[in-house]
Amino acid sequence: MVDIHHEVRCDAPVEVTFAYLDDYRNTTKWMFGLSRFEPTSDTVRGVGAVFESTFAVKPISLSSTIEATGWEQSALIAFESVRGFRNSSSWRFAADGPER
């Protein structure tokens, strides 16, 4: 199993950053290698939202169905695969000042 840890600081309020990353339509814009991220459930955010995803690792593409397993406004987004390529991810958000 591979664990990837990455930390980013952003010059925007945490609420703005969270809203951008929580919008599934932006996911392929910011997640390197992700070529498809489409909702398959009635809900598109929060616990229980389900997505079909494809992650390109040249020369192959890995597909999986993922479900949101954790969600807290401006603090956490977490996913677990339920079918296909096994993966999990969690994204934590914390302000380190009024504008960051």
Side-chain angles (χ1 to χ4, degrees):
M1 175 183 267
V2 175
D3 287 326
I4 299 172
H5 300 271
H6 185 69
E7 183 174 318
V8 175
R9 295 189 185 273
C10 178
D11 288 331
V14 70
E15 296 82 9
V16 172
T17 304
F18 183 88
Y20 180 82
L21 296 178
D22 191 39
D23 185 338
Y24 77 92
R25 296 169 294 189
N26 297 325
T27 308
T28 58
K29 297 175 188 174
W30 61 265
M31 185 178 286
F32 180 78
L34 190 67
S35 60
R36 182 173 67 116
F37 196 77
E38 300 170 357
T40 59
S41 59
D42 291 336
T43 183
V44 296
R45 63 189 292 224
V47 173
V50 179
F51 300 87
E52 290 296 327
S53 64
T54 301
F55 190 77
V57 181
K58 300 287 181 176
I60 63 170
S61 292
L62 305 170
S63 295
S64 63
T65 303
I66 62 170
E67 181 175 352
T69 56
W71 190 93
E72 183 180 336
Q73 180 66 49
S74 298
L76 170 71
I77 302 170
F79 292 103
E80 292 280 338
S81 60
V82 294
R83 204 171 13 251
F85 177 71
R86 287 182 45 205
N87 65 86
S88 64
S89 62
S90 60
W91 308 87
R92 299 185 185 283
F93 302 80
D96 67 355
E99 298 298 319
R100 284 174 58 107

